[in-house]
Amino acid sequence: MKIIAKIVCLLSIFFLSINSNAQGVNKRYPFVNTIFSAGLNAFENDSGYLMIGGVDSGIASIGIVQTDFEGNVLFQKTIMDTNLAYFAGFQGSLIKVSSGGYAMYGSVATSSWARDKLYRFNSVGDTLWTKTMGDTAFDQVGSQVKETLDGGFVCVGQNTQYSGQNWVVKTDSLGAIEWEQWYGSGVERPTAIALTPDSGYIFTGWTRSLGPGAPNNDNIRITKIDKQGNLQWNRVFGQTDDDNAWSINTTQDGGYIFGGSIRTVNTDSRTKHYAIRLDSQGDTIWTRAYNPPTLANSGLNGFRTIIELSDGNFIAAGQEVYTDSISFSRHDGLIMKLKPNGDILWNKTYRILGMNANGTDFEIKDIRPTNDGGFICGGVVYPSFPDTGTQDMWLMKIDSNGCVDTSNCVIVSSIESHTQLEEEQYTLKAYPNPFVYQLTIVVVLPQESTNAYLVIKDVAGKELCRTKLNSATNQYNIEGKQFSSGIYFYFIEDKEKIILPQKLIKME
């Protein structure tokens, strides 16, 4: 361990460019008289941003928030019943419909049964119609819906009629069931579904009936079916511990991209953010497990949503957990932008400024592109005391570089960015961030790296410290009093290339 205590270099070779078009939002949205709420879906629309998720005021309900483009609330609505509990499905359970408005797939329940429910909303969140599916003799839990090419819907959920199987339901445009099929045996929990180029469907979820560790551990299941629901192929991923499946989407080449988490028990027993790219036949193009910070081993690490962008890159969002002694149990929202081959373009964590206490946690559930080239995110704030004490919806708008506002829209422009070495061989994390009294920076290098440095600079590009990294794993404790309040930037410099440039915030 080494203490960074002084400025060692005053020569600035780092220039910053600011995206002047950024208009960020980073706000929490409590509902009146609720115990908690959670944003599961976020969209840009003509009025601003729409977010839908779960709320609870003693009974589970569905909450809708519409904001303007600055994040100011235009209206809030709640779908509730004093005798029934309503659930909003998983992230991605809300979709835009081609004829206007939205559709959502979730559940309705009593103390003795649960059934799936398909909702159809207009453009301002008013309910047009609902369809309840399933049988009260069994439990059904709705996960996600997509609009089909004929204007109908395909829904995926769990049905306990056959020991908790994957349940796919195809409906017409008014929610009438056209066909339904069950898949798997034993314990299954589907989470996401997508349309495929051949007019079929692909879904993913947890399985304990297939893969290593079954039936005692969760594995990742990816299943391809045709347009009538006939099984075409299964693919199973995982190791001999619990792995999580959250997102599946198609790619422009006719293949698929998956996001979730995996615990790499065959190597270091750490739960990591996990992405899989498949071709159209389900053959693996690549898999990537991305290292969490501070040797963290939390099952909450992982991607909740991953999608391909128009340029062929991917954007993934989720949560990152710290398990060190200083920031124990700190959870941050995470966004990664990935290249088509899975290499990291940038990797950033997010909180709401001023909410820095350990135990105040953040999770991004959903991320979608916006018309200005940025992204809108829906998620959850889990606050600690002193606070309102209520878990709230979290809405965040970022630009194309992952920046919330112009104060942190920083792009490296004078030193060549690192592009050749496998980025996942490096780890660079600072915590807590923002910091006040003490900052810890952890750096992990590939074995072949022999001339790397940790560099910290201010917003003007002035180099404040440059420290030689002498081992594969390095940890540095920095006293907060060495820094004035403000924004700083830190990165690894290896062979004159910048790796993992990130932002630091010093608070008073």
Side-chain angles (χ1 to χ4, degrees):
M1 183 180 296
K2 182 176 182 179
I3 304 297
I4 300 177
K6 63 181 180 179
I7 297 173
V8 298
C9 182
L10 300 178
L11 177 64
S12 174
I13 56 173
F14 185 66
F15 298 90
L16 310 178
S17 64
I18 303 297
N19 181 347
S20 61
N21 295 321
Q23 185 176 8
V25 175
N26 191 8
K27 295 183 179 182
R28 64 192 287 194
Y29 297 87
F31 275 70
V32 177
N33 298 323
T34 60
I35 303 169
F36 71 82
S37 58
L40 299 174
N41 306 272
F43 277 102
E44 180 182 44
N45 58 22
D46 292 340
S47 301
Y49 307 114
L50 180 76
M51 183 164 52
I52 289 186
V55 300
D56 194 324
S57 56
I59 188 167
S61 309
I62 294 170
I64 303 173
V65 179
Q66 174 70 58
T67 77
D68 62 18
F69 287 101
E70 294 180 349
N72 302 307
V73 174
L74 299 178
F75 64 79
Q76 288 184 331
K77 298 180 180 181
T78 303
I79 300 172
M80 64 180 302
D81 188 306
T82 56
N83 298 313
L84 296 172
Y86 290 97
F87 301 94
F90 289 139
Q91 55 271 11
S93 59
L94 179 76
I95 60 168
K96 286 184 177 179
V97 178
S98 58
S99 58
Y102 305 90
M104 188 184 72
Y105 195 50
S107 307
V108 59
T110 68
S111 59
S112 58
W113 55 262
R115 298 177 68 186
D116 289 6
K117 198 173 189 70
L118 179 62
Y119 300 81
R120 185 72 168 85
F121 304 112
N122 66 14
S123 60
V124 293
D126 296 326
T127 302
L128 298 176
W129 54 258
T130 66
K131 293 291 184 180
T132 303
M133 307 176 193
D135 189 322
T136 57
F138 306 98
D139 287 334
Q140 297 89 31
V141 180
S143 299
Q144 203 175 84
V145 62
K146 291 292 188 295
E147 186 179 15
T148 54
L149 298 177
D150 60 3
F153 303 99
V154 64
C155 312
V156 68
Q158 184 189 48
N159 191 320
T160 63
Q161 182 172 355
Y162 300 104
S163 302
Q165 287 185 310
N166 303 283
W167 186 35
V168 176
V169 180
K170 171 67 175 68
T171 79
D172 65 15
S173 61
L174 297 176
I177 294 177
E178 296 179 337
W179 57 259
E180 56 185 325
Q181 294 281 6
W182 290 261
Y183 309 89
S185 61
V187 179
E188 306 274 348
R189 184 63 185 271
T191 53
I193 193 166
L195 276 63
T196 60
D198 62 356
S199 301
Y201 312 102
I202 190 167
F203 67 85
T204 190
W206 294 285
T207 178
R208 288 197 171 188
S209 62
L210 300 170
N216 299 314
N217 298 102
D218 295 327
N219 291 299
I220 295 163
R221 174 188 184 130
I222 300 175
T223 298
K224 174 70 173 65
I225 58 178
D226 68 17
K227 63 181 180 181
Q228 296 299 324
N230 299 306
L231 178 65
Q232 294 181 295
W233 48 258
N234 281 317
R235 300 291 183 265
V236 179
F237 298 84
Q239 298 185 10
T240 54
D241 209 323
D242 288 335
D243 306 304
N244 294 324
W246 284 113
S247 180
I248 190 80
N249 281 292
T250 55
T251 53
Q252 297 172 50
D253 62 0
Y256 311 101
I257 186 70
F258 162 91
S261 65
I262 187 170
R263 188 173 183 188
T264 52
V265 295
N266 296 340
T267 53
D268 55 9
S269 293
R270 297 163 67 191
T271 300
K272 302 177 181 180
H273 306 83
Y274 193 43
I276 304 169
R277 186 167 186 176
L278 304 177
D279 66 16
S280 60
Q281 301 303 310
D283 296 326
T284 302
I285 298 175
W286 51 257
T287 65
R288 290 295 186 95
Y290 301 94
N291 289 326
T294 64
L295 302 178
N297 191 24
S298 170
L300 296 176
N301 282 322
F303 296 134
R304 307 298 188 261
T305 302
I306 186 168
I307 57 175
E308 187 183 32
L309 305 175
S310 59
D311 62 2
N313 294 316
F314 300 101
I315 195 80
Q319 189 174 56
E320 192 158 83
V321 180
Y322 297 79
T323 57
D324 62 290
S325 59
I326 297 175
S327 298
F328 181 76
S329 193
R330 173 186 169 119
H331 304 60
D332 286 349
L334 168 77
I335 299 176
M336 284 189 193
K337 190 172 184 180
L338 307 175
K339 297 179 183 179
N341 66 355
D343 289 348
I344 297 176
L345 285 168
W346 50 258
N347 172 14
K348 300 186 180 184
T349 56
Y350 300 85
R351 301 174 73 81
I352 296 175
L353 289 180
M355 298 185 67
N356 305 313
N358 287 348
T360 296
D361 301 325
F362 295 81
E363 179 183 8
I364 299 173
K365 295 285 193 178
D366 190 26
I367 185 168
R368 309 193 193 214
T370 52
N371 291 330
D372 63 359
F375 305 95
I376 187 67
C377 308
V380 192
V381 178
Y382 307 91
S384 65
F385 293 97
D387 192 82
T388 63
T390 63
Q391 173 187 307
D392 297 326
M393 291 187 180
W394 178 28
L395 183 71
M396 186 172 68
K397 167 66 173 66
I398 59 174
D399 70 6
S400 59
N401 298 304
C403 308
V404 176
D405 54 47
T406 56
S407 67
N408 71 347
C409 291
V410 180
I411 306 168
V412 177
S413 61
S414 67
I415 299 180
E416 182 183 359
S417 296
H418 185 271
T419 58
Q420 298 301 318
L421 295 176
E422 293 289 346
E423 191 281 338
E424 65 180 23
Q425 297 176 1
Y426 294 84
T427 297
L428 177 63
K429 289 295 172 185
Y431 53 91
N433 188 14
F435 69 102
V436 178
Y437 302 109
Q438 187 179 60
L439 174 71
T440 297
I441 298 180
V442 174
V443 187
V444 179
L445 303 174
Q447 294 294 329
E448 64 270 19
S449 181
T450 59
N451 192 35
Y453 293 84
L454 171 65
V455 181
I456 301 177
K457 300 191 177 190
D458 64 17
V459 292
K462 183 178 180 180
E463 187 172 289
L464 302 181
C465 56
R466 170 181 292 270
T467 301
K468 182 74 173 354
L469 302 170
N470 295 316
S471 61
T473 301
N474 307 265
Q475 179 170 311
Y476 302 93
N477 295 330
I478 305 172
E479 294 297 326
K481 63 185 179 181
Q482 298 179 65
F483 295 86
S484 300
S485 61
I487 297 174
Y488 300 85
F489 303 96
Y490 70 112
F491 54 89
I492 301 168
E493 186 177 301
D494 194 355
K495 299 178 182 177
E496 299 185 349
K497 294 183 178 181
I498 286 180
I499 302 164
L500 299 175
Q502 299 178 53
K503 181 186 70 171
L504 285 172
I505 298 177
K506 171 62 164 61
M507 305 288 288
E508 289 289 359

